[in-house]
Amino acid sequence: MKERAINPYALWLSSIRGVGNHTIKTLLETASCAEEVYHMTDDEINKCLDGKLKRRGDAAGKALSICFAQKMDPVEEAEKLRQRGIGFVSIEEDFFPQRLRGIPDCPYGIYFVRELVPDDVPSVAIVGARNCSSYGREQARVFAEKLALNGISVVSGMARGVDGIAGRAAANAGGRSYAVLGCGVDVVYPEENGELYDILKERGGLISEYPPGTKPQTKLFPRRNRLISGLADLVLVIESRRRSGTVITVDSALEQGRDIFALPGRVSDALSDGCNFLISQGAGIACTPETVIEHFYGVSENGTDMFEQKRKERNLRREDLSGMEKVLFDVLGCGEIMEPDFLIGRMESILGKHVDMEEFMACMTGLQMKGLAAEVGSCHYKGIG
Amino acid sequence: MYSSIITGAVHGIDSYLMRVETDISNGLPSFNMVGFMSGEMREAGERVRVALKNLGIHMPPQRITVNLSPAGIPKRGMVVDLPVSVGLLVCLGYIPDGAVNNVLVAGELGLNGEIRPVNGILSIVMEAKANGISTCLVPDGNLKEGALVHGIRVVGVRTLAELVNYLKKTPKERDRFLPPAEVDADQLLGQTPNKGYPDLSQVHGQIQAKKVLEIAAAGFHNVLMSGPPGAGKSMLARCLPGIMPPLTKEEALEITKIYSAAGLLPEDTALITERPFLSPHHSVTRAVLIGGGNIPAPGLITLAHLGVLFLDEISEYKANELNSLREPLENQEIIIRRLTGAYRYPARPLLVAAANPCPCGYYPDMNRCTCTPKEVLKYQKRISGPFIDRIDFRVHVGRVGSDELQGSGHSESSETVRIRVMEAIERQKRRFSGTPFHYNSDMTPDAVEHFCPLNSLLTEKMRIVYDQLGMSVRSYHKCLKMARTIADLNGREMILERDLMMAVGFRLQEYNEEEKTSGREFSSDKKIVPASRRHSIEEELS
């Protein structure tokens, strides 16, 4: 992406501490652009704001901080930011993300590293629980990978759990992956996603409405969520409890008129409660990544029955297994975590004979080495595929 | 007037012979004891003086000097009370000079002349026999353990008067007066009473965990059990001694020697016939765990030698304590060095550890677990990696289903399992005859190559496993040793694919990056965020 010049006055305006979106919007009702605000006097600013802010008396304070900030040299600040590899775009520029322009409470300016979510490419936000299950982890990866490979941008929050996994999977698949942060774009949070931060810096994009250096704060994250949904055409919920940050994202997505898709889960799983509820409320059902892809590109010719194809793939992988491994593979199914005692019991009832622990472990190891099963925790197993 | 009496002292769990030299000469009346001894040993002088007085013998008002040789080793204990008094009696002419030739004397003295038991008699008698001593006079309370040693006359004495009478007699009369005792270790081991261990059949379900314990017992492999609270981890561990093979004579003697030296052998017990089972509290200190003190006492790891050391709630142990177990677990012994010398203690316990998988205990059951991935990771990280690396089997002890709990389902008794274990041990004994190894887990890397041959197909399989998982060499060898034991349990000299794959299955977890790091699905080399980036803004502002 070619570098675009930063509008220094817009940057200046949005970086003033204590002056938020609302104040800026009010100012720009009178002034035509940020540069004009820069040259306004204390009295003029006061006049613009007076009576228009939520609390009376705020105007004087805001005017004071703006005048104080006028001592800064916007051009120099912009140059500093550019040198650090951080971009800035305000709503005044034409390359401001079109998707955001329409949303309620649109930020005046946003900071980004590398690039912004392109307007001309479909974009999906993948969100979900931080404390996700093995199932959620697996599906987040599969969906993000498939979507990215089909040229769809993946927007997430780089949080623990679903967000981070989806962002990473999309980037690793070679697709477009963006993260909207609840802190400055130069701050790594959470720390364990430092590696993902590096990947996105190199190959994806990092976006935030908060000035560089802003530390992560609890109150910033719910506001960040409106940008995640705002930057996407469709929000895909992987796993969510009934009350969670994910619900906030979904709420703002509905407010912004975005489509919602949810990954169905078992009704007994607390972590799928949110998703199942969304489906019952009319959200799209994301059974396979193809369902979501078809939403953008229409029904593909050969992908009429995704389940059929999935079954075929599974059968193909099953071919190479030994007799005993086949039984275990069938018993394991896909995704659900099971304990060895239970699995052996099922195998015995299918085979009608005693199954040794050795035989079981040998089969299990075989499946794991072939990548068809995985150990979760200690000696719990799940099928993959 | 000079006399010299032979006695013994414990050093580590072994003993050395010590000479008690007594001299009475003219000069200001005094009683001096020299020879690098501790306070309680120096008090022997006072005990001896009173005991002799109560026997009707008064100490002469002369200069009495007692020297313990070799004088360079620090000594402690009450073992010299008796030799000091015998030395004095020889000097004073109450006992003929030649009566104490080739006789070892050891014991504590009461003020009334009663002889009380002391620590380490078994190893002292062993040492005496090795040095060609003909008679050992030991406290009656220690007679049974001393009598385990054959080919040497071991006599128990109750009082100082009895001892004097014994020594005054001619060798022929002596045996009639106090006949030497002999205890047959094999016979004691033969009568195996019920040890009070829970039986394996009392544990419902847990097929996998039971199998792992069986393999562990057969090859002396270390086990880590994890699972939710109340699933039966401790119960399973307590079953373990019941499925381990009975002690052999050599093993029983070695354990008895340790307990005797530590003063933990119950009075009137000849031999420890059961495998020890120790389960310390997690607040235990390092000195207690591996042994310590000025003159080091054996630690729990030594007291559990050839038995079970059960570390419950292992994630609650302090890292220092656990890490101190690393070398002894590898070397099967612990050497504690002090300025005055090194003390060697054998340390070959079967280590069984138990832990919850996360703070609430239910991970990976996401419907019940309330911990965040970070908490789970943090909790699991509490057990140090190198320590985990020394564990062979990691097994989950899950919640038992109601049908398993209430159903009568066939469950093997400890005795049935033990028979299989003993067969496997028999097989190992034959294989390792002429080598220093006893169990499969003892094997050194070159022994592994020799005793765990793989056919070309399995070699290829193992190569793939090794490469695909990026295994450590230690892990690779552990797999082979574990497979060796599994094959032994199945009565096979050849290691088959299923044996090997089962062993590998238990080691896959440590290579399972996904679970260990939760959110970090795709691992790469870079994992740590440079500190510079974390708060870069602060630096720029300043």
Side-chain angles (χ1 to χ4, degrees):
Chain A
M1 182 174 167
K2 65 176 190 295
E3 204 173 310
R4 294 188 216 229
I6 298 172
N7 175 350
Y9 297 100
L11 171 67
W12 166 79
L13 189 56
S14 82
S15 64
I16 302 170
R17 199 162 287 186
V19 176
N21 272 333
H22 185 67
T23 317
I24 295 175
K25 224 170 266 170
T26 320
L27 279 169
L28 291 181
E29 278 168 18
T30 316
S32 61
C33 64
E35 190 170 356
E36 207 179 312
V37 179
Y38 181 73
H39 295 297
M40 276 159 113
T41 63
D42 193 353
D43 280 347
E44 281 169 338
I45 297 169
N46 223 334
K47 221 159 82 194
C48 290
L49 294 178
D50 201 23
K52 289 180 186 161
L53 294 180
K54 278 177 206 150
R55 278 181 303 180
R56 292 183 67 80
D58 265 6
K62 303 265 181 205
L64 205 67
S65 22
I66 293 171
C67 285
F68 182 74
Q70 279 172 355
K71 286 179 189 152
M72 282 198 301
D73 178 5
V75 180
E76 194 184 312
E77 295 297 318
E79 179 57 21
K80 265 194 208 163
L81 202 66
R82 199 188 61 80
Q83 278 172 3
R84 286 169 60 190
I86 299 173
F88 174 82
V89 60
S90 78
I91 200 159
E92 293 174 26
E93 266 80 36
D94 55 357
F95 70 104
F96 188 80
Q98 294 303 327
R99 289 186 183 93
L100 284 185
R101 282 187 196 276
I103 69 168
D105 195 13
C106 167
Y108 172 71
I110 51 178
Y111 299 84
F112 62 94
V113 174
R114 216 184 86 91
E115 66 172 10
L116 285 163
V117 184
D119 291 326
D120 48 355
V121 172
S123 152
V124 169
I126 300 184
V127 296
R130 285 196 298 275
N131 191 4
C132 59
S133 72
S134 173
Y135 166 70
R137 201 171 289 149
E138 176 77 20
Q139 295 307 324
R141 190 174 60 75
V142 171
F143 273 82
E145 227 169 63
K146 272 274 169 65
L147 295 182
L149 286 174
N150 281 282
I152 297 172
S153 314
V154 171
V155 182
S156 74
M158 207 176 95
R160 291 188 192 102
V162 169
D163 278 51
I165 293 163
R168 193 184 311 246
N172 282 352
R176 294 192 179 85
S177 178
Y178 305 92
V180 185
L181 310 182
C183 49
V185 284
D186 58 342
V187 178
V188 181
Y189 181 84
E191 236 168 67
E192 59 255 45
N193 276 340
E195 192 191 335
L196 173 58
Y197 179 93
D198 290 341
I199 295 174
L200 293 183
K201 206 173 158 184
E202 299 294 322
R203 290 183 268 143
L206 295 152
I207 299 160
S208 169
E209 62 173 310
Y210 305 111
T214 308
K215 302 252 173 65
Q217 292 165 47
T218 3
K219 62 174 184 193
L220 301 183
F221 287 95
R223 284 181 59 75
R224 174 278 304 259
N225 290 352
R226 83 185 195 287
L227 292 192
I228 296 181
S229 57
L231 284 166
D233 300 314
L234 181 152
V235 174
L236 171 63
V237 185
I238 292 295
E239 242 181 356
S240 146
R241 293 177 196 268
R242 270 298 275 281
R243 285 167 52 85
S244 63
T246 310
V247 173
I248 300 176
T249 316
V250 171
D251 282 347
S252 57
L254 290 170
E255 205 182 341
Q256 296 158 356
R258 304 291 188 249
D259 291 315
I260 312 281
F261 270 72
L263 177 80
R266 292 196 300 187
V267 286
S268 58
D269 280 358
L271 268 169
S272 287
D273 259 9
C275 288
N276 290 337
F277 174 74
L278 287 174
I279 290 170
S280 74
Q281 295 293 304
I285 307 175
C287 290
T288 59
E290 286 77 9
T291 328
V292 181
I293 296 165
E294 280 169 11
H295 181 82
F296 290 108
Y297 299 134
V299 179
S300 58
E301 279 165 30
N302 57 352
T304 41
D305 190 351
M306 289 302 163
F307 293 105
E308 181 62 31
Q309 198 178 336
K310 218 170 179 179
R311 206 163 60 232
K312 269 188 196 149
E313 258 175 48
R314 209 174 146 78
N315 281 337
L316 210 65
R317 300 172 86 176
R318 192 176 178 274
E319 289 292 288
D320 301 336
L321 305 176
S322 73
M324 199 76 148
E325 281 176 342
K326 273 181 189 156
V327 176
L328 182 58
F329 184 65
D330 294 342
V331 171
L332 257 179
C334 177
E336 197 178 335
I337 301 172
M338 299 184 204
E339 293 186 18
D341 290 13
F342 173 79
L343 288 169
I344 291 176
R346 291 283 295 274
M347 282 173 82
E348 280 177 350
S349 65
I350 289 174
L351 289 166
K353 65 177 179 106
H354 178 69
V355 177
D356 279 350
M357 183 55 73
E358 286 95 327
E359 284 173 311
F360 167 75
M361 283 303 289
C363 291
M364 198 72 231
T365 311
L367 287 186
Q368 287 184 70
M369 296 305 296
K370 292 187 182 93
L372 296 176
E375 191 173 4
V376 186
S378 125
C379 295
H380 282 61
Y381 303 99
K382 67 166 186 184
I384 295 174
Chain B
M1 283 180 287
Y2 164 86
S3 73
S4 167
I5 307 293
I6 303 163
T7 185
V10 184
H11 188 268
I13 64 159
D14 295 316
S15 295
Y16 58 96
L17 293 192
M18 180 162 76
R19 263 176 196 286
V20 178
E21 298 171 309
T22 314
D23 177 77
I24 303 182
S25 47
N26 290 330
L28 280 176
S30 68
F31 190 100
N32 282 321
M33 287 183 73
V34 294
F36 206 173
M37 68 193 83
S38 66
E40 79 265 23
M41 195 175 244
R42 198 176 293 279
E43 288 157 0
E46 206 51 29
R47 283 192 292 270
V48 168
R49 192 179 62 74
V50 179
L52 286 182
K53 188 210 81 181
N54 287 337
L55 202 64
I57 301 165
H58 286 275
M59 291 250 240
Q62 280 175 303
R63 188 181 175 87
I64 303 171
T65 309
V66 175
N67 175 41
L68 307 184
S69 158
I73 306 172
K75 308 170 188 74
R76 72 182 306 170
M78 268 65 78
V79 71
V80 294
D81 289 10
L82 210 50
V84 168
S85 53
V86 173
L88 272 171
L89 290 170
V90 172
C91 283
L92 296 172
Y94 288 94
I95 296 174
D97 202 10
V100 289
N101 279 349
N102 228 2
V103 173
L104 178 139
V105 184
E108 179 188 342
L109 209 50
L111 296 185
N112 56 358
E114 172 194 31
I115 296 170
R116 291 170 188 164
V118 290
N119 299 347
I121 285 296
L122 176 58
S123 77
I124 290 175
V125 174
M126 280 175 165
E127 184 66 19
K129 186 192 167 192
N131 283 281
I133 305 286
S134 66
T135 308
C136 288
L137 294 175
V138 298
D140 199 49
N142 294 125
L143 179 61
K144 282 188 179 163
E145 54 166 302
L148 284 170
V149 186
H150 297 181
I152 183 167
R153 193 184 286 114
V154 183
V155 179
V157 280
R158 277 182 291 272
T159 62
L160 189 53
E162 193 176 58
L163 175 71
V164 175
N165 282 337
Y166 181 87
L167 288 174
K168 276 181 176 170
K169 293 190 191 310
T170 61
K172 270 187 188 165
E173 290 170 331
R174 280 180 181 180
D175 282 354
R176 258 212 309 280
F177 178 57
L178 287 175
E182 265 199 12
V183 172
D184 187 6
D186 288 323
Q187 196 197 339
L188 283 178
L189 285 170
Q191 11 171 292
T192 41
N194 187 5
K195 323 264 159 102
Y197 300 126
D199 196 276
L200 214 51
S201 60
Q202 293 169 13
V203 181
H204 298 277
Q206 314 294 14
I207 316 173
Q208 195 184 29
K210 284 180 183 172
K211 187 77 200 172
V212 164
L213 287 188
E214 180 180 333
I215 304 169
F220 240 83
H221 298 285
N222 300 328
V223 181
L224 169 64
M225 295 189 283
S226 71
K233 298 185 291 288
S234 309
M235 174 94 166
L236 275 167
R238 276 170 216 287
C239 290
L240 196 48
I243 59 170
M244 288 168 82
L247 288 172
T248 63
K249 189 177 159 191
E250 290 71 32
E251 286 174 334
L253 279 175
E254 197 166 356
I255 298 173
T256 309
K257 218 166 128 182
I258 295 169
Y259 275 73
S260 160
L264 294 171
L265 195 65
E267 204 170 320
D268 268 342
T269 306
L271 191 67
I272 301 234
T273 53
E274 312 166 5
R275 292 189 183 268
F277 180 93
L278 295 184
S279 56
H281 186 252
H282 57 73
S283 61
V284 67
T285 64
R286 192 163 60 170
V288 172
L289 210 48
I290 63 166
N294 187 8
I295 297 174
L300 292 173
I301 190 169
T302 301
L303 296 177
H305 182 60
L306 298 171
V308 177
L309 180 63
F310 177 47
L311 304 181
D312 204 356
E313 306 298 350
I314 193 162
S315 14
E316 303 296 332
Y317 279 80
K318 283 188 226 83
N320 262 348
E321 272 71 31
L322 282 188
N323 284 332
S324 67
L325 290 178
R326 272 156 54 177
E327 295 87 345
L329 283 180
E330 199 74 353
N331 305 333
Q332 309 193 355
E333 64 173 18
I334 174 92
I335 295 172
I336 302 173
R337 288 183 195 283
R338 294 288 179 263
L339 268 180
T340 48
Y343 296 78
R344 193 199 74 87
Y345 289 111
R348 175 75 171 112
L350 199 168
L351 184 82
V352 182
N356 291 334
C358 69
C360 80
Y362 291 105
Y363 182 83
D365 182 351
M366 294 312 284
N367 275 333
R368 301 186 73 185
C369 180
T370 55
C371 311
T372 64
K374 205 175 176 183
E375 281 171 336
V376 175
L377 188 63
K378 205 174 151 195
Y379 197 78
Q380 292 180 348
K381 281 256 170 83
R382 279 204 207 165
I383 316 171
S384 84
F387 182 79
I388 287 283
D389 200 40
R390 279 154 178 89
I391 301 266
D392 301 79
F393 286 98
R394 292 166 78 178
V395 66
H396 183 82
V397 180
R399 191 171 158 273
V400 180
S402 55
D403 44 338
E404 278 172 318
L405 181 63
Q406 290 168 341
S408 55
H410 70 291
S411 201
E412 286 179 315
S413 73
S414 290
E415 212 41 54
T416 328
V417 177
R418 186 185 227 175
I419 289 167
R420 280 203 301 272
V421 170
M422 280 162 71
E423 278 165 13
I425 297 236
E426 220 27 68
R427 206 166 262 283
Q428 294 172 49
K429 216 176 252 172
R430 281 201 300 276
R431 179 179 319 127
F432 294 137
S433 69
T435 69
F437 313 121
H438 293 99
Y439 300 103
N440 285 333
S441 53
D442 295 342
M443 283 190 278
T444 50
D446 44 335
V448 168
E449 275 173 23
H450 184 251
F451 290 116
C452 309
L454 299 179
N455 63 28
S456 55
L457 179 79
L458 288 187
T459 313
E460 177 59 19
K461 280 229 152 154
M462 240 1 236
R463 196 187 61 77
I464 296 173
V465 168
Y466 182 78
D467 287 344
Q468 197 174 328
L469 297 179
M471 250 183 186
S472 74
V473 181
R474 197 211 302 261
S475 266
Y476 178 84
H477 284 136
K478 269 205 189 308
C479 280
L480 291 182
K481 290 186 216 175
M482 287 151 71
R484 177 71 270 167
T485 309
I486 297 166
D488 283 342
L489 267 174
N490 289 324
R492 283 193 293 262
E493 207 42 55
M494 221 22 234
I495 295 176
L496 296 189
E497 184 180 348
R498 42 186 278 185
D499 305 324
L500 194 61
M501 285 301 122
M502 179 173 187
V504 171
F506 281 105
R507 296 208 68 87
L508 280 177
Q509 197 195 349
E510 65 189 279
Y511 301 102
N512 196 344
E513 270 301 306
E514 176 198 343
E515 281 309 318
K516 266 200 270 182
T517 55
S518 290
R520 195 185 289 137
E521 183 105 343
F522 304 91
S523 62
S524 86
D525 303 334
K526 272 196 289 177
K527 274 180 187 160
I528 297 156
V529 186
S532 59
R533 206 195 309 124
R534 279 182 215 145
H535 294 296
S536 50
I537 190 72
E538 281 177 352
E539 289 156 17
E540 269 160 41
L541 285 177
S542 59

